Amino acid sequence: MLMQKKWPWYLIFTFFLTIVFIRIYDLNVFHHANYETDYEKKTELTILGPSAPRGRILDVNGVVLVDNTLSLDIVYRKIDQPTFEEEAHIAEELASILPVSQPSVSEQKAYYMQKYPDVVHDLITEEEWDLYAMRKLTDEEICNLQKERITYLF
């Protein structure tokens, strides 16, 4: 009787592990661009056209009490945690397309504080930072001091 030679278990395990790693490498290197474009298509959704019409509310005599007006909406969802610069660029593009009112002084100061954090940091004196370190000033108080000291905007 002839004995069949059995394969050692570690050779079979190594063979399957090699196949798995080759497949992972293939997906990451050669098909990365395909999956990236699929991701971008699925995360950016543009819908054009009017919204669904709504009904009117009439009184007993048929006089319109409430009517609807058509309005277009823009929805922006943060998916990949964009940087402040990317969000500012999107806001500038939208401002060139849409009618936008002039931002208030408070909004301009908040924008300035995010865009130039180093400059705003220097508006607080060393003594005030020492008080902050000793917990005599809160985050809100430091923020309010910075907002008060921003005097020239753009």
Side-chain angles (χ1 to χ4, degrees):
M1 211 186 281
L2 294 172
M3 290 187 66
Q4 292 182 349
K5 186 174 181 182
K6 289 187 176 184
W7 285 68
W9 66 270
Y10 56 86
L11 287 178
I12 295 171
F13 180 74
T14 306
F15 175 72
F16 284 116
L17 197 60
T18 305
I19 290 174
V20 168
F21 281 123
I22 289 172
R23 182 65 179 146
I24 290 172
Y25 180 79
D26 179 55
L27 288 174
N28 282 328
V29 174
F30 298 112
H31 298 289
H32 176 75
N34 295 341
Y35 289 115
E36 191 170 17
T37 55
D38 287 346
Y39 171 75
E40 288 173 1
K41 286 179 186 175
K42 290 180 180 178
T43 56
E44 183 175 320
L45 178 63
T46 304
I47 300 173
L48 299 175
S51 62
R54 307 282 186 232
R56 294 179 173 175
I57 298 177
L58 308 173
D59 69 357
V60 177
N61 300 324
V63 177
V64 178
L65 297 176
V66 178
D67 198 2
N68 294 306
T69 58
L70 177 65
S71 65
L72 300 177
D73 297 331
I74 294 178
V75 178
Y76 172 67
R77 292 189 191 112
K78 296 181 186 181
I79 295 176
D80 289 337
Q81 299 301 325
T83 63
F84 176 75
E85 288 79 19
E86 292 170 341
E87 285 187 326
H89 177 69
I90 291 170
E92 289 171 3
E93 284 184 15
L94 287 175
S96 68
I97 298 170
L98 301 172
V100 179
S101 62
Q102 182 67 22
S104 67
V105 173
S106 170
E107 292 170 335
Q108 289 180 11
K109 287 183 179 184
Y111 175 78
Y112 186 84
M113 288 174 71
Q114 284 211 345
K115 187 159 176 102
Y116 306 107
D118 296 336
V119 175
V120 174
H121 181 273
D122 294 340
L123 295 175
I124 303 298
T125 64
E126 289 297 323
E127 293 82 20
E128 291 167 336
W129 283 121
D130 292 340
L131 289 173
Y132 176 74
M134 293 186 297
R135 297 186 180 189
K136 304 232 183 216
L137 288 176
T138 64
D139 288 334
E140 185 178 339
E141 290 170 332
I142 290 287
C143 185
N144 288 337
L145 286 172
Q146 289 171 331
K147 283 182 183 179
E148 288 173 8
R149 293 175 184 168
I150 297 174
T151 56
Y152 179 75
L153 294 174
F154 315 102

